[in-house]
Amino acid sequence: MSTLAVFDLDHTLIAADSSLLWTDYLWEKGIITDPAFFAADKQMMADYSAGKLDMAAYMAFSLKALGNATVAQIDEWVAEFTESKVRPLVYPDAIKTLAFYKEHGVPVIIISATADFIVKPVAKMLGVNLAFGIELEIKDDHYTGALQGITTFREGKVEKLANFLDIRQFLPERTIFYTDSANDLPLCRYATDVLTVNADPVLQAEAEKQGWMQLTWSLNPING
């Protein structure tokens, strides 16, 4: 049986939201000095939890934090950010689970509603070669703040994954999906198997209704 494993990123593989970590990193580096970016992140999380986030508006504002930095400069920052901020927050159970799929030859995809210039390096750090995030327009070696392609948020994750699989002509008989968020319910319904990780209340209620396996991952697992 052909199988595909699909993972959300934030609060699923790592014990944090990478967008918030990114703002913290930029603040600590002195790249941003305006507290308004933290207020925007707080509102983003509230809207995300409520399922009403305006992704285009949030990304346009958050990218202002990068000023006139080139794509190459941002990539350098992200490389340091991935090691210093993200790596320490990877769940040990996530590492074990990814290793299990690799050992058994099961392809893995990470799909996230975070900017792809963050998602892809983090995925690579985790040993995952296929990853999708929010794609951003680039002009003259700078991010414009505009979105492009399929926005990997809510129903967009399903569209992005289905489009990718169609292009690859890969139709897995079993698609296993791991997530923490009710925003991913569309992809949960697309998958054949769902495992929740530290599920939010709405997702937890749906998991109990559907009989989905519910996992609790910690940075310090009792049996780790």
Side-chain angles (χ1 to χ4, degrees):
M1 174 182 289
S2 58
T3 302
L4 173 68
V6 182
F7 291 80
D8 176 43
L9 176 60
D10 300 332
H11 295 292
T12 299
L13 293 172
I14 64 174
D17 183 283
S18 54
S19 294
L20 303 187
L21 290 178
W22 178 238
T23 300
D24 288 342
Y25 170 82
L26 295 175
W27 180 270
E28 291 172 7
K29 293 283 288 186
I31 298 166
I32 59 172
T33 57
D34 187 348
F37 289 103
F38 289 103
D41 279 351
K42 184 177 181 180
Q43 186 62 52
M44 178 272 289
M45 290 304 297
D47 291 345
Y48 180 82
S49 296
K52 59 179 184 179
L53 176 62
D54 183 337
M55 185 62 72
Y58 171 72
M59 293 303 297
F61 180 81
S62 65
L63 282 170
K64 292 179 181 178
L66 303 176
N68 292 318
T70 64
V71 170
Q73 175 63 77
I74 294 167
D75 287 345
E76 287 184 19
W77 290 336
V78 171
E80 181 181 33
F81 160 77
T82 299
E83 290 299 318
S84 66
K85 289 288 188 180
V86 181
R87 186 182 288 278
L89 296 177
V90 178
Y91 287 123
D93 284 317
I95 295 172
K96 293 177 183 177
T97 303
L98 292 172
F100 171 84
Y101 287 124
K102 183 175 182 179
E103 179 183 350
H104 288 81
V106 175
V108 171
I109 295 176
I110 292 174
I111 185 163
S112 170
T114 296
D116 69 345
F117 66 77
I118 292 175
V119 175
K120 290 180 178 179
V122 171
K124 185 176 180 181
M125 180 265 289
L126 292 169
V128 177
N129 295 322
L130 283 174
F132 303 114
I134 303 291
E135 295 182 51
L136 301 162
E137 181 184 59
I138 299 173
K139 286 186 178 180
D140 300 322
D141 200 33
H142 291 77
Y143 290 108
T144 67
L147 307 185
Q148 67 177 16
I150 299 170
T151 301
T152 50
F153 178 53
R154 295 182 65 85
E155 292 81 1
K157 285 192 176 184
V158 177
E159 184 181 358
K160 183 71 174 183
L161 179 61
N163 184 64
F164 172 78
L165 295 177
D166 183 58
I167 292 172
R168 289 290 186 94
Q169 295 186 326
F170 176 44
L171 298 176
E173 298 168 78
R174 187 182 183 200
T175 298
I176 308 169
F177 181 46
Y178 293 73
T179 183
D180 72 292
S181 175
N183 282 297
D184 284 334
L185 281 171
L187 189 46
C188 290
R189 296 181 180 115
Y190 173 87
T192 58
D193 301 72
V194 177
L195 293 88
T196 69
V197 179
N198 305 338
D200 66 31
V202 175
L203 180 61
Q204 182 177 8
E206 186 66 17
E208 291 171 356
K209 179 180 177 181
Q210 299 295 336
W212 296 333
M213 183 177 292
Q214 299 186 59
L215 306 175
T216 301
W217 286 356
S218 168
L219 290 178
N220 298 293
I222 295 174
N223 297 318

